[in-house]
Amino acid sequence: MRLSDTLTGEKRDFVPLDSTVRMYVCGITPYASAHVGHAMSYIVFDVLHRYLEFKGYNVRYVQNFTDIDDKLIARAAAESATVQELAERHIAEYFEDMAALNVLEADVYPRATQEIPKIVEVVSGLIEKGYAYPSGGDVYFRVRSVPSYGKLSHRSLDAMRAGARVEVGVEKEHPMDFVLWKAAKPGEPSWESPWGPGRPGWHIECSAMALRYLGDSIDIHGGGQDLVFPHHENEIAQSEGFSGTEPFARFWVHNGLLHLDAEKMSKSLGNLVTIRDALARYSSDAIRLSVLNAHYRGPGYYSDEALAGAERAAARLRQAAFARPVAAPPSAATPEKERLDPSAHRERFIAAMDDDLNTPQALAVLFDLAHDVNRDAEAGRDVAGAQATLLELGREVLGLTFEERGGGIDDELAARVEALVERRSELRAAKRFADADAVRDEIAALGVTLTDSAEGTTWKMSGPS
RNA sequence: GGCGACGUAGCCAAGUGGUUAAGGCGGGGGUCUGCAAAACCCCUAUUCGGCGGUUCGAUUCCGCCCGUCGCCUCCA
C-alpha cells in the first residue's frame, strides 16, 4: 500500500522494517473529556491499524497518555482533586468512549508518570551528547545542536524566530529551545532527578515511550495535524539525538482536524462536542461514516446535518447487509449465474484502501455493493456471499458494527408501546382504520416509529430529536 | 508577516491530461401499503472559484487573482 509521509511530503510504498509494523500514535492529555475531534483522529488510526492487520501484517500499536502537565495540574487544583485522580477518571472515560466507537485497543498504553526512569535516561543522554543543558533546575533542548531542526514542519529556525509570539526565556540559550524537564514548584507533583525534583516537559514523554516500547526506528508515527509543530518536530530532535538513529519514524501520518462552525474544534477554543454528547445522539457507525466519508488528511466537519445524513447512510448499509432475497433461499445448488459475485467490489475496495487509505472511495465501493445486493435480492438472486463481503469489509476494516444505536428504552415504555401496537393491530384487522391511525399518532407521540409488514408490526425509537 | 492546505451539484465528498466527473445526504418520480412510515428501484453537475498560459486537448500541469482554513502559543 501507499501512504503519505508528512516529513517527505510524498506518498510512498509502505513496507515495514520487519514482519511487525511498529506504530505509535499520540494519545490524549486526560484533563477533560475527549471530544469528537479526538474521535476523528483515533478512528482514522483505528482504520489504519485494522487495515494493516487485514493485509496480514502484525501490528504493535502503542498509544500514550500524557498524564502530567500544566493543564492537568491547574484543573486538578480547581476541582480539589489530585492530578492522578483527575487523570484516572478521564482515562477510564476515554477507554469507554473508544470501546463505544468500536476502536480496537492498542497493545500498550504507557503513561508519562509511569515512565519517569526512561524519561530521565533520555534527558541525561541528551545532556551527555550535547543536545541539552540544565538551567536552574530545568533542562532544555538545544535546538541549534540539530541542523535539520524544522524538517518535519518545513520551517527554519530563522523563520520561526521571526514569528512575533516567541518569547525569549532568560534561562534559555535560544528562544526556540524547549523544556525537557521542569523544576518542581511548591505543591506540584514531582519526581527525583539528577537536576532536582521536577516533572517531564511536554514532548519528552513520547520520545521515551516510543523508544522504550517500539525501538529506535518505528514504522508509523501518527497524530493530529496540530501536533506537527512543535510536538512531533521536537520528538524527532529528541529521539534521533538520543538514539543516533535516523529516521526515528519512517512515516509521519497526520490526520486533518475536525471543524465545528468553520473553526477547528479544540479544548482551548471551547467549541467542542464530547464523544459522549455525540454518542447520545448518533450511532457509532454514523460517527465513523461521517469521519471516513472524507480523506483523513483533509479537514472534517461536525454538524447535525452531516451526522444525521451519516445515520441514514449507516442504515442503508445495514439494510443491505441483512436484506432477505425475495425468492427461494440460496443453496449450494444455486447456479453460478444466479449468485452476486462480490470479488470485483472487493478488489476495488482494497485498491482504494491501498491508495493512502482512501476511505471515501472504499466507502463508495461498499455502497455500490449494497446497491447491487438490494437489486439482486429483489430479483431473487443469491446475495449471501456478497452480503458476507459487505459485512466483512465493513466490520474488519472500517470498524462498522452494522448495529443500530442501542439502549435508552426502558421496560415500562416498551410495555406501553407493545400494548398500543396490539390495540392498533386489532383495529386494523377490524378495518377501523381511522381509529387505528389515532393509536398510531399516540404511539408516535412517544417517539416511536411503526413499521408494518406481512409478518406484523415492528417498532423502534425514532431518530435523534 | 513566514510556512502549508484547500476551493468539484442544494449540502458533504472522491477522482482523472482525452470514452457517460465515484459515493452519501437532500430533492423529484415509482414499487410496496387500507393510508402512512420504513425499505427498495429509477432520475438528479455539458461541468469542476476567477483570469491567463502550456497542450491537438485541462477540472486535472504552470502563473496570477479572489475566497476559506490550519500551523507559527496549549491542542487529536
Side-chain angles (χ1 to χ4, degrees), chain A residues 113-166:
Chain A
T113 57
Q114 292 169 12
E115 302 296 332
I116 301 299
K118 182 67 183 181
I119 290 170
V120 167
E121 178 194 332
V122 174
V123 174
S124 299
L126 287 170
I127 292 172
E128 280 166 31
K129 293 188 177 188
Y131 288 114
Y133 57 93
S135 173
D138 296 335
V139 179
Y140 291 94
F141 190 92
R142 183 177 278 132
V143 290
R144 283 173 309 173
S145 66
V146 180
S148 63
Y149 187 77
K151 64 184 176 185
L152 178 71
S153 50
H154 304 109
R155 60 190 80 186
S156 66
L157 271 180
D158 288 342
M160 286 185 262
R161 202 168 183 174
R165 287 180 278 187
V166 176

Side-chain angles (χ1 to χ4, degrees), chain A residues 35 37 64 114 143 148 238 245 275:
Chain A
H35 57 70
N64 69 288
Q114 292 169 12
V143 290
S148 63
Q238 294 164 345
T245 302
I275 292 173

